């Protein structure tokens, strides 16, 4: 076999000694023999970099050479694979990744932001230099979803990729639902539990999950990563009312990423969606991640697992390292980077049923006006319910509508017509129901 | 990259033109360009074999050379990869697979029975000849579970592998549950629907699923495939009573494969088990498959998808072909075959709670005798219920017991003591509750 032990140890340069970096150190300490057997050669860390060499990180790092500059680490002669678990999509992470690739080092990265922004030039650089750039840990933590899409489903024309890929958002939404608490309260809880990024908008604004979706979309559809074209809507406007009412109708609200290719182009959405409560996505609780891959031949594949944390992320990084040790050289996004197509963005072109919640003035004909506005926009109604909210005696009516499949543009059109009816007490909520 | 187009087309010899074989022909017809882009080179079928060259199979096969003998196909000069989708674990399939490996051809096989029986010598032969032997399609159809275990979780010490891997059995069990029908009736339905193998015992006896489990166990634990050590119990004795009563207590009955390594050795079980009704395994309906992989670092990964059929199986075969085209050379079971350990079989050593259903004579002290027998066997009771079955007025009592965790040997001991109590109307049912 080509992975004979005679090829000597595979030497890692580890940039970043946070949770994930230390997880890797521990994994190699604990399972050096097992990993060597599977990799076909020993895997060793030769050098590390972090800002403060003196900090106690709870692991013995004395055997490794130290660099304070990750660029210096990335280009060391005794490093074959540069492991980037520093984070940040500019500055040092980017410079060191580029330096590594230029120096002919393989790179394993957990940095979804960097890849979402610079995936295309980095892939071209890697392939021009004949080295691997792998990033299993960048998407859905320990779930081997990059591998499954890039390799396991490589015989399929991919129809759609979906995922709940930000554990913090899913924690917040499921906690709101189970405890009946408003967003602001649970957000604050999550902050105190340390679940949120330093910039919480990366989580609750859907940016982190959007980064991940853009990587999956590139592999799935053979297009250049185009994070800028991801339609992003975070969970900050998801109300406890909608969660409760959706639940009554058999749905759950998830921050769901969807990428699909239609005749109009590539749709990438990371938005709150309704999904059936009894579906695998609907039943996903807490911080767990789930990815759904749909191929023309294979049908629907659902994968579930931990989306973050020391162990799951280290597991993903190590699988990339072992693949490199075994000699795998898959193009970064499945086909050579120079052959990836430009993504033609199609903003939410695919029709879907919609959930609409609106508060109407207690006026004769109010409901008829709303129904007419929907009809004028070409949207037909599947279900309508009027809810009398206990304790609210203002005479206003809460009306819930589930539409038949409607084009997103038609829904926007209907919402603008609603505003002209003069019967709405407040801006209506409109949430896509993703069909599984 | 090493997979440059200059290396010329990868030439497949396809043995077997049933559903899967024709599915592959159609996939390559439909997606030749996509597959070539991903594989880094064109993938073409050059020759095929099947018994009857004249049969109309609904696909144009005129471009392919024909062989009636698969051994002749396997050794043709114009074949780089031998694709075995014939089935059968002796005779032609075995001879052709061996011939291909000896001739230095890569082999992609969907043949779980062949690999379960001869995985070790075939892996040694493949590795001695420096060629790949891959079998994603042999386990759980289109779910990329072999790849996930072999590569995606390669940094983990695997703790346990579980799976519902026979769609027919899961169909029968879920149909019994939803329709309240006895086994015999649903078995007959399944037969008429064409869901059963020619020898139904392969399905309902758990043999097919046991083959699959033995392959997963080998990868997971670095041991030689040892199908003979799989503890097999089919679904033929699962009664509708147990399904209904388990349901009342929040459980579903599944034909569940479990492989785990303990200090006592390798346990491999393919037996009916209770699982929580609200768990992913409990919610698995119909013919779908599910595999659960548990690693020390990654935690629990759950994968769900179609376990059979033209498209899913062709998808799995093609992913192996593309891996070969890309130059991947992983040892067949993850580490070199000559380094795989002999599996020390440990028959159901791991303790678990058990569900016990027994019918007791209407005698004073009957229940006490049963409880005493359990206590004498060192088993404590978690829940006990007495059920009065409507319409049965024979005075006998149905007693359900859920035990605390108990060693399987202690449960067997208790069951033998029950027989001596003289208060049992019939043989009790004892079903393991697998903890997830």
């Amino acid at each position: 076999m080509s992975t004979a032990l005679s090829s000597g140890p595979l030497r890692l340069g580890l940039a970043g000694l946070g949770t994930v970096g230390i997880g890797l150190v521990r994994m190699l300490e604990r399972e050096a023999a097992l990993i060597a057997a599977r990799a076909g050669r020993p895997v060793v860390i030769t050098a590390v970099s972090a800002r403060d060499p003196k900090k106690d990180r709870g692991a013995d790092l004395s055997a490794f050479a130290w660099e304070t500059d990750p660029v210096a680490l990335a280009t060391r002669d005794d490093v074959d694979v540069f492991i980037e678990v520093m984070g940040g999509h500019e500055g040092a992470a980017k410079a060191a990744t580029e330096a590594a690739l230029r120096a002919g080092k393989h790179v394993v990265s957990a940095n979804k932001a960097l890849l979402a922004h610079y995936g295309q030039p980095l892939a071209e650089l890697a392939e021009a230099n004949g080295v691997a750039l792998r990033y299993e840990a960048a998407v859905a933590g320990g779930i081997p979803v990059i591998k499954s899409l890039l390799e396991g489903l490589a015989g399929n024309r991919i129809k759609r990729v979906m995922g709940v890929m930000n554990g913090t958002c899913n924690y917040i939404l499921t906690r709101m639902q189970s405890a009946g608490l408003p967003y602001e309260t649970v957000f604050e809880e999550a902050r105190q539990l340390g679940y949120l990024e330093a910039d919480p908008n990366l989580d609750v604004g859907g940016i982190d999950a959007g980064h991940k979706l853009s990587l999956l979309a590139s592999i799935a559809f053979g297009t250049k990563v185009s994070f800028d074209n991801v339609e992003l809507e975070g969970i900050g406007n998801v109300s406890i009312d909608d969660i409760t009412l959706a639940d009554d109708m058999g749905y759950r609200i998830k921050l769901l990423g969807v990428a699909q290719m239609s005749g109009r182009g590539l749709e990438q959405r990371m938005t709150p969606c309704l999904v059936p409560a009894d579906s695998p996505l609907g039943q996903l609780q807490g911080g767990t991640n789930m990815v759904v891959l749909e191929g023309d031949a294979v049908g629907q594949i659902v994968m579930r697992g931990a989306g973050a944390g020391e162990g799951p992320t280290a597991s993903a990084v190590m699988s990339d390292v072992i693949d490199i040790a075994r000699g795998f050289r898959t193009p970064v996004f499945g086909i050579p980077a120079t052959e990836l197509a430009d993504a033609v963005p199609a903003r939410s072109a695919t029709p879907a049923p919609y959930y609409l919640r609106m508060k109407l003035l207690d006026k004769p004909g109010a409901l008829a006006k709303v129904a007419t506005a929907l009809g004028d926009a070409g949207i037909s109604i599947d279900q309508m319910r009027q809810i009398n909210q206990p304790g609210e005696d203002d005479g206003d009516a809460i009306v819930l509508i589930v539409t038949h499949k409607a084009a997103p543009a038609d829904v926007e059109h209907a919402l603008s017509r609603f505003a002209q009816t003069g019967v709405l007490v407040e801006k209506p909520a409109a949430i896509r129901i993703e069909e599984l």
Side-chain angles (χ1 to χ4, degrees), chain A:
Chain A
M1 308 296 282
S2 59
T3 54
L5 280 167
S6 60
S7 52
L10 187 73
R11 300 164 303 173
L12 313 183
L14 175 61
L17 291 170
T19 308
V20 179
I22 293 299
L24 280 165
V25 171
R26 289 202 185 114
M27 180 179 268
L28 274 169
E29 243 173 40
R30 201 172 59 229
E31 299 292 0
L34 183 69
I35 289 168
R38 290 181 179 159
R41 54 199 285 204
V43 174
V44 297
I45 295 170
T46 47
V48 298
S49 76
R51 275 190 211 133
D52 177 3
K54 290 188 186 118
K55 188 173 159 186
D56 179 9
R57 293 175 167 89
D60 179 9
L61 309 171
S62 60
F64 314 139
W66 270 87
E67 299 280 357
T68 42
D69 176 8
V71 174
L73 177 75
T75 53
R76 284 176 66 100
D77 284 344
D78 61 359
V79 165
D80 303 311
V81 184
F82 177 67
I83 313 284
E84 198 269 271
V85 290
M86 307 157 58
H89 74 274
E90 302 285 352
K94 178 162 179 274
T97 299
E98 289 169 346
L101 296 173
R102 269 199 209 96
K105 315 291 190 187
H106 305 292
V107 172
V108 175
S109 177
N111 193 330
K112 56 220 81 162
L114 178 67
L115 287 159
H117 286 94
Y118 301 105
Q120 182 63 24
L122 290 174
E124 290 180 17
L125 190 57
E127 292 171 21
N129 283 280
V131 290
L133 167 58
R134 301 191 63 111
Y135 49 95
E136 185 66 81
V139 180
I143 306 174
V145 58
I146 298 289
K147 176 170 282 288
S148 294
L149 192 55
L150 201 61
E151 301 166 7
L153 268 54
N156 288 262
R157 187 162 290 274
I158 301 298
K159 315 300 278 184
R160 183 169 61 165
V161 173
M162 297 188 286
V164 169
M165 295 183 286
N166 182 281
T168 302
C169 287
N170 203 52
Y171 166 81
I172 291 175
L173 293 173
T174 53
R175 169 96 176 123
M176 285 171 72
Q177 198 240 338
S178 62
L181 291 170
Y183 174 76
E184 292 71 20
T185 309
V186 179
F187 176 88
E188 197 46 43
E189 279 183 7
R191 186 204 293 277
Q192 284 173 14
L193 288 165
Y195 290 180
L196 285 159
E197 299 269 358
D199 172 6
N201 197 42
L202 285 174
D203 287 317
V204 298
I207 297 169
D208 166 81
H211 288 152
K212 297 167 183 169
L213 183 70
S214 72
L215 300 177
L216 294 181
S218 174
I219 304 170
F221 303 110
T223 49
K224 292 175 185 164
V225 185
S226 62
F227 169 67
D228 289 347
N229 292 323
V230 178
E231 184 185 334
L232 277 183
E233 185 189 329
I235 61 170
N237 291 323
V238 175
S239 79
I240 180 63
D241 286 350
D242 288 324
I243 286 179
T244 307
L245 294 169
D247 190 29
D248 289 346
M249 299 173 82
Y251 293 102
R252 295 271 190 279
I253 301 183
K254 297 289 170 191
L255 179 67
L256 184 67
V258 181
Q260 63 196 127
M261 184 69 86
S262 72
R264 296 172 60 175
L266 176 63
E267 288 179 53
Q268 301 177 88
R269 297 187 293 279
M270 182 56 69
T271 62
C273 285
L274 267 64
V275 295
D278 61 359
S279 65
L281 279 167
Q283 288 169 344
L284 193 70
Q285 299 284 315
T288 311
N289 282 17
M290 182 174 284
V291 180
V292 180
L293 307 174
E294 295 176 348
D296 61 347
V298 79
Q300 191 181 70
I301 299 289
V302 179
M303 305 178 80
R304 195 184 97 138
E310 174 182 326
T313 312
S315 167
V317 169
M318 192 55 69
S319 85
D320 281 342
V321 168
I322 292 173
D323 278 358
I324 289 170
R326 283 170 168 167
F328 291 14
R329 297 295 177 269
T330 311
V332 180
F333 295 105
I335 64 172
T338 51
E339 294 172 24
L340 291 163
D342 286 308
V344 177
R347 194 171 186 281
S348 281
T350 307
Y354 275 77
Y355 158 99
L356 306 174
R357 175 179 53 84
M358 53 197 84
K359 197 169 189 179
L360 304 185
L361 288 175
D362 184 21
K363 276 189 182 174
L367 197 55
K369 284 189 179 172
V370 165
T372 303
L374 275 175
D376 288 350
I379 297 171
S380 60
I381 295 173
D382 180 33
Q383 295 182 53
M384 171 144 50
R385 284 197 203 177
Q386 185 161 334
I387 309 285
N388 296 313
Q389 286 200 306
E392 290 200 15
D393 202 16
D394 54 9
D396 298 336
I398 303 288
V399 173
L400 295 187
I401 292 175
V402 172
T403 72
H404 283 294
K405 269 193 194 183
D410 292 340
V411 175
E412 283 182 30
H413 184 206
L415 291 176
S416 69
R417 280 180 168 252
F418 286 169
Q420 297 155 19
T421 59
V423 299
L424 268 75
V425 176
E426 59 188 24
K427 194 164 171 285
I431 310 180
R432 184 181 175 94
I433 302 177
E434 191 68 27
E435 295 191 299
L436 306 183

